Amino acid sequence: DDPNYKSLRQEIKEKKGVATLYFILRAMVIVVMIAQFLNGNFENFFLCILTLILFLVPTFLERKIHIDLPDTLEVIILLFIFAAEILGEIQAYYITFPYWDTMNGFLCAAIGFALVDILNRSERFSIELSPLFLALVAFCFSMTIGVLWEFFEFSMDFFFGTDMQKDTIVHA
């Protein structure tokens, strides 16, 4: 047997709840992706592919950095990705619910705080940050992710003619 396959099976056994949510969300995204393809909405089809790729981020972090993300944090990351891409973009929650974008910003700050806190508590790193500095780093993390996301939205709108910024008033 392949050692990576064995470690994956072991990880699924240890994190049944996270694995179940992961497979449910993946299945939902695949159903939405097929529907978008059949409807000829290729922009949303590619957003579904991006979502499936982003779902791999927690596993990538765990394997490459060799840190164990708490189950709750993994669930928050997966739900955040699903909420931002599928619900926010494809189901237009950003337009339907006025504070949807704000909620995603708070989730991003929570993820940033949790990641820095995990590194702060890790014995592999010899730094110990104060709670104020942790809060500052979480804030900076969420702002950086927000700015990068705005760059991504602008680039998609500019190069591919999408309307990810939802600025239906300004067309050029």
Side-chain angles (χ1 to χ4, degrees):
D1 269 340
D2 182 19
N4 288 331
Y5 181 72
K6 284 183 179 179
S7 68
L8 181 63
R9 279 195 316 192
Q10 182 66 26
E11 189 175 325
I12 289 171
K13 284 180 183 178
E14 291 173 1
K15 298 183 172 196
K16 284 185 180 174
V18 175
T20 303
L21 177 69
Y22 176 77
F23 288 118
I24 290 170
L25 290 177
R26 253 181 113 77
M28 290 170 60
V29 170
I30 290 170
V31 167
V32 170
M33 184 172 69
I34 292 168
Q36 296 304 315
F37 183 80
L38 294 175
N39 288 334
N41 192 339
F42 298 111
E43 172 188 340
N44 289 345
F45 174 79
F46 288 113
L47 276 175
C48 290
I49 291 173
L50 173 65
T51 303
L52 293 173
I53 292 169
L54 289 174
F55 278 165
L56 300 172
V57 168
T59 305
F60 177 80
L61 285 175
E62 285 186 324
R63 292 186 181 204
K64 293 297 178 188
I65 302 177
H66 304 290
I67 57 170
D68 185 34
L69 296 176
D71 292 354
T72 306
L73 181 59
E74 280 191 69
V75 167
I76 290 171
I77 291 171
L78 293 174
L79 290 175
F80 169 74
I81 293 167
F82 185 81
E85 296 299 324
I86 303 302
L87 299 179
E89 290 294 332
I90 295 175
Q91 298 299 322
Y93 278 27
Y94 287 118
I95 294 171
T96 308
F97 300 103
Y99 296 106
W100 189 258
D101 207 19
T102 305
M103 178 205 60
N104 282 336
F106 283 120
L107 281 173
C108 195
I111 291 168
F113 181 83
L115 288 174
V116 174
D117 188 49
I118 288 169
L119 293 175
N120 195 37
R121 293 176 188 212
S122 174
E123 294 174 6
R124 290 181 50 214
F125 301 97
S126 62
I127 57 168
E128 197 161 319
L129 306 174
S130 71
L132 179 63
F133 192 74
L134 281 175
L136 179 65
V137 170
F139 173 77
C140 291
F141 177 84
S142 67
M143 291 295 111
T144 301
I145 296 298
V147 167
L148 291 174
W149 183 254
E150 292 301 323
F151 287 162
F152 173 74
E153 284 181 342
F154 174 79
S155 299
M156 293 299 289
D157 291 353
F158 185 79
F159 293 113
F160 298 106
T162 63
D163 188 26
M164 290 186 74
Q165 296 182 78
K166 307 297 184 251
D167 58 354
T168 53
I169 297 170
V170 181
H171 294 286

